[in-house]
Each structure stands twice: as structure tokens, then as C-alpha cells.
């Protein structure tokens, strides 16, 4: 069990090391700063291999009996070793990478994007991840190990944690690989705790990790395609502005574009 979980952390870290390098200017400390363009934060091809492997493994747990037997074997080992384990700190761990990103910015260590752009990016990432995982949960109809419901596959907590970890890696891995490793460590801990708490099978968390990483990579791939067009047109002197808004107890962003 320990060897398998350690392998999960190693494979996740490969995604951090494979981030594409870019020498464009770094983040601005101004919350309302809007650069002319958003950096094209595309990952290199090897960075897509770990999440693709994770998702494939999870999907194969349905038709491949050996993989499903491993799920039950790990579950049985946990029942024998830690029968009373019930610590749901992963409910907080899953958000740790996001908190660290904004905390680092407040401390003066700026990442690749401005506050607004990075906030939209993580919003897109979480949206893609949530839509994907919750749609698959209803379709897969897998019973959780604790028997509470049939929304076991894939793990939403794990997907959320790895989406956040990839977000931190994208924003800060160029400054130091340790930022990305720190984010992925929290994500891996989240995944492990989901299994220990009998909320998910092992294949559930593996698939969740893959969907989480892919969701953030897609957000960073898609966002620049419309963001640069939306806010900057080199052939025009028309301007756009986006700023935080608050109305009737609801916080959000207001966007104005000169036509």
C-alpha cells in the first residue's frame, strides 16, 4: 500500500518537472492590473502523460478484474491496520495549494499571472473538473467503500486537490520546483486520506488525480485563446476593464469593453 501511494506522488511530481518554460514578465502586485496579453501557458507533451495514465487506470478498473481486486485488497488491508481511522483533514488539504498561491502573492512572491487572470484560471479549472467528475459519478454508479452512496468514481476531493496543485505548479514552478512539489504533496495527502476514510477506492483517487491535473492544463490552454482577444487588440485603441464588484451580498467581477 505504501509503495503504491509513494508511486502516486512520484508520478504526480513528473507533471511539475515537465512544465514549459517562459520568460515573459511576472505577476503584478496590483489587484486590478491587466496586461496587454496573457502568457500562453501550455504544458509540454510529457506533462500530459501522468494524468492520462491516471485516468486510463481508473477507467480500466471497471472491465479489468485484477485492478478491481487491488481496490478490494487495499481496502481489506486498511480495515485490518486502521479499523477506526476517521480524520477528515483532507477537506482542508484540498484547498491548500490555492491558499498558498494567493498567500505567496500577498507576501510579495509573484507568479506568472495577475490576480484577476489567475482567479479566472482557477475558476475555469475547478469548473471543468467539477463538470467532468460529477457527470462521470452519475454515469459510473460505483458504490463507495462505506456504502453511503453510488458516487464513488472518480474522487471529487482528489480531483479538486490535484487541480489546485497543478494551478500552483503552473504559477510558481518556474521560480522553484519546490512550490509545485509542495502543492502536489497536499494533493497526494488528500487522495490518501480519501482512501483511509473509506470514502473512495484506490482506483477512484487515481482517476480523480488525472481529471484534476487535466482540468487545470485545459484551463491554461484555453484561457489565453479568448483572453488576449477580449482585452487586447493591437489594431485598435479601444479599451477594456475588469474590476471586482459587490451587490446584494454577492461578490464577483464587472467587465466593460469599449465597442
Amino acid at each position: 500500500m505504501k509503495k503504491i501511494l509513494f508511486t502516486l506522488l512520484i508520478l504526480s511530481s513528473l507533471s511539475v518537472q515537465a512544465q514549459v518554460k517562459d520568460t515573459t514578465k511576472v505577476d503584478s502586485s496590483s489587484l486590478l492590473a491587466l496586461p496587454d496579453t496573457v502568457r500562453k501557458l501550455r504544458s509540454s507533451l510529457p506533462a500530459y502523460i501522468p494524468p492520462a495514465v491516471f485516468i486510463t487506470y481508473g477507467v480500466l478498473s471497471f472491465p479489468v478484474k485484477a485492478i478491481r481486486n487491488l481496490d478490494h485488497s487495499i481496502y481489506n488491508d486498511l480495515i485490518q491496520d486502521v479499523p477506526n481511522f476517521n480524520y477528515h483533514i483532507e477537506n482542508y488539504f484540498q484547498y491548500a495549494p490555492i491558499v498558498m498561491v494567493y498567500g505567496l502573492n500577498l507576501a510579495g512572491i509573484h507568479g506568472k499571472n495577475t490576480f484577476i487572470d489567475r482567479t479566472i484560471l482557477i475558476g475555469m479549472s475547478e469548473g471543468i473538473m467539477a463538470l467532468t467528475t460529477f457527470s462521470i459519478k452519475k454515469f459510473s454508479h460505483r458504490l463507495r467503500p462505506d456504502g453511503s452512496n453510488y458516487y464513488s468514481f472518480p474522487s471529487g476531493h482528489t480531483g479538486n486537490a490535484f487541480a489546485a496543485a497543478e494551478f500552483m505548479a503552473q504559477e510558481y514552478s518556474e521560480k522553484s520546483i519546490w512550490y509545485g512539489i509542495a502543492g502536489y504533496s497536499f494533493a497526494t495527502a488528500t487522495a490518501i486520506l480519501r482512501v483511509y476514510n473509506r470514502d473512495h477506492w484506490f482506483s477512484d483517487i487515481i482517476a480523480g488525480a488525472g481529471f484534476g491535473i487535466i482540468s487545470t492544463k485545459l484551463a491554461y490552454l484555453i484561457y489565453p485563446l479568448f483572453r488576449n482577444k477580449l482585452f487586447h487588440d493591437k489594431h485598435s485603441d479601444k479599451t477594456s476593464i475588469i474590476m471586482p464588484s459587490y451587490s446584494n451580498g454577492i461578490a464577483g467581477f464587472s467587465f466593460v469593453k469599449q465597442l
Side-chain angles (χ1 to χ4, degrees):
M1 175 65 180
K2 293 180 179 179
K3 291 182 179 179
I4 294 174
L5 295 175
F6 179 73
T7 302
L8 172 61
L9 177 59
I10 295 299
L11 289 174
S12 301
S13 297
L14 292 177
S15 180
V16 179
Q17 300 179 39
Q19 301 298 331
V20 66
K21 299 296 182 181
D22 196 325
T23 58
T24 314
K25 62 184 180 181
V26 297
D27 191 5
S28 168
S29 59
S30 173
L31 294 183
L32 299 182
L34 288 174
D36 288 338
T37 59
V38 170
R39 300 170 60 179
K40 296 180 179 179
L41 303 173
R42 297 192 177 100
S43 299
S44 58
L45 184 59
Y48 287 91
I49 295 177
V53 170
F54 292 164
I55 293 173
T56 301
Y57 178 91
V59 172
L60 288 177
S61 68
F62 287 90
V64 179
K65 188 175 181 180
I67 296 178
R68 192 68 179 123
N69 287 341
L70 179 60
D71 283 345
H72 289 281
S73 176
I74 293 174
Y75 173 78
N76 292 333
D77 288 343
L78 290 175
I79 290 296
Q80 293 180 358
D81 296 339
V82 284
N84 299 316
F85 191 92
N86 186 26
Y87 302 98
H88 288 276
I89 195 172
E90 76 273 16
N91 291 333
Y92 306 99
F93 277 4
Q94 62 178 321
Y95 301 112
I98 298 176
V99 173
M100 287 191 290
V101 167
Y102 287 95
L104 286 168
N105 186 72
L106 288 175
I109 305 174
H110 305 304
K112 291 177 179 178
N113 289 290
T114 63
F115 173 85
I116 291 176
D117 285 324
R118 96 165 67 90
T119 300
I120 295 175
L121 280 163
I122 188 58
M124 288 181 60
S125 171
E126 293 291 343
I128 295 171
M129 187 281 301
L131 179 62
T132 302
T133 57
F134 286 108
S135 297
I136 296 176
K137 278 177 180 289
K138 292 183 178 181
F139 176 78
S140 62
H141 198 65
R142 172 178 284 179
L143 183 66
R144 291 182 187 270
D146 63 3
S148 60
N149 58 51
Y150 285 86
Y151 297 133
S152 187
F153 182 90
S155 170
H157 276 66
T158 303
N160 185 64
F162 275 84
E166 177 66 14
F167 170 62
M168 186 171 189
Q170 288 280 0
E171 290 295 321
Y172 282 100
S173 61
E174 290 180 11
K175 289 187 176 295
S176 173
I177 192 175
W178 292 106
Y179 289 120
I181 290 176
Y184 270 96
S185 295
F186 275 104
T188 302
T190 298
I192 292 172
L193 287 167
R194 295 306 283 171
V195 175
Y196 268 77
N197 282 309
R198 282 71 156 174
D199 292 305
H200 289 285
W201 306 97
F202 180 69
S203 58
D204 297 341
I205 66 167
I206 296 297
F211 283 117
I213 297 171
I214 285 291
S215 295
T216 298
K217 288 186 180 299
L218 287 176
Y220 275 82
L221 179 66
I222 296 170
Y223 181 56
L225 299 180
F226 69 85
R227 165 63 168 83
N228 294 339
K229 182 63 177 178
L230 189 64
F231 289 101
H232 177 70
D233 186 348
K234 64 182 179 180
H235 299 298
S236 173
D237 58 357
K238 297 175 182 178
T239 60
S240 303
I241 186 170
I242 188 171
M243 63 181 63
S245 64
Y246 185 85
S247 177
N248 296 324
I250 300 175
F253 291 98
S254 297
F255 169 69
V256 178
K257 182 177 178 64
Q258 181 181 357
L259 300 177

